[in-house]
């Protein structure tokens, strides 16, 4: 990651660690950032795509092939002030490459993450799936990648 801000709270630290592990493709370590019953949500998932995963097994099953499909970097991370030290709201930009095609994509994210004792209890990830779908070669190819 470039231009990484200083994390002031455990929740902010969890977000930065989350991004580092995605960049490194360390999905098992990434899943372990969550509590055993943690939730990962994608409110803008396209129709037919799953939008909620709960527990380590479900989250790992969904994300396990991420490093086989995508190479990503994140930058321009901005934390928004909140009064709860176990909550982080952040905006950041991502750039990536679809490994099978070499197609590049850009994405702007808004993440809302609740933590407990430094571990993620709920992660709501707001991003535009159309940009990723186009980079993966269209809706059908993207669905196959997500469901494989």
């Amino acid at each position: 990651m470039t231009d990484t801000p200083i994390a002031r709270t455990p929740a902010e630290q969890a977000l930065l660690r989350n991004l580092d592990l995605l960049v490194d493709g360390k999905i098992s370590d990434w899943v372990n950032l969550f509590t055993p019953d943690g939730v990962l949500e994608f409110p803008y998932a396209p129709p037919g795509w799953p939008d909620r995963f709960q527990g380590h097994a479900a989250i790992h099953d969904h994300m396990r092939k991420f490093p086989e499909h995508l190479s990503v970097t994140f930058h321009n991370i901005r934390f928004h002030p909140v009064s709860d030290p176990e909550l982080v709201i952040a905006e950041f930009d991502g750039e990536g490459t679809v490994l099978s095609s070499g197609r590049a994509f850009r994405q702007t994210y808004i993440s809302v993450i609740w933590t407990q004792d430094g571990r993620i209890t709920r992660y709501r990830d707001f991003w535009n799936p159309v940009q990723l779908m186009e980079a993966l070669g269209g809706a059908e190819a993207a669905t196959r990648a997500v469901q494989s």
Side-chain angles (χ1 to χ4, degrees):
M1 281 186 308
T2 58
D3 63 2
T4 304
I6 295 172
R8 298 175 303 268
T9 67
E12 290 177 354
Q13 292 168 1
L15 177 115
L16 294 178
R17 184 74 179 131
N18 148 66
L19 298 178
D20 284 340
L21 290 171
L22 287 175
V23 167
D24 293 342
K26 296 181 177 178
I27 298 305
S28 292
D29 292 338
W30 182 82
V31 169
N32 284 327
L33 292 174
F34 287 78
T35 58
D37 61 345
V39 174
L40 174 63
E41 298 175 315
F42 300 108
Y44 296 140
W49 286 28
D51 62 358
R52 188 176 192 278
F53 305 89
Q54 184 167 6
H56 282 182
I59 294 169
H60 187 271
D61 188 51
H62 174 67
M63 293 293 293
R64 67 185 159 72
K65 291 197 174 186
F66 180 93
E68 295 174 27
H69 294 292
L70 304 171
S71 171
V72 297
T73 60
F74 300 104
H75 54 92
N76 199 24
I77 302 162
R78 291 138 357 248
F79 294 127
H80 291 278
V82 295
S83 60
D84 182 349
E86 293 194 327
L87 171 68
V88 61
I89 299 173
E91 292 182 66
F92 50 96
D93 299 315
E95 296 180 5
T97 303
V98 175
L99 298 176
S100 62
S101 69
R103 290 185 184 126
F105 67 94
R106 291 176 185 235
Q107 189 70 251
T108 298
Y109 301 86
I110 299 173
S111 291
V112 181
I113 300 174
W114 292 262
T115 65
Q116 183 177 23
D117 300 323
R119 295 183 73 195
I120 298 169
T121 59
R122 183 175 174 201
Y123 189 142
R124 295 196 85 199
D125 202 18
F126 296 88
W127 54 279
N128 181 354
V130 173
Q131 292 173 300
L132 180 60
M133 288 169 50
E134 290 173 355
L136 286 167
E140 289 180 24
T143 299
R144 282 192 304 275
V146 168
Q147 295 176 351
S148 67

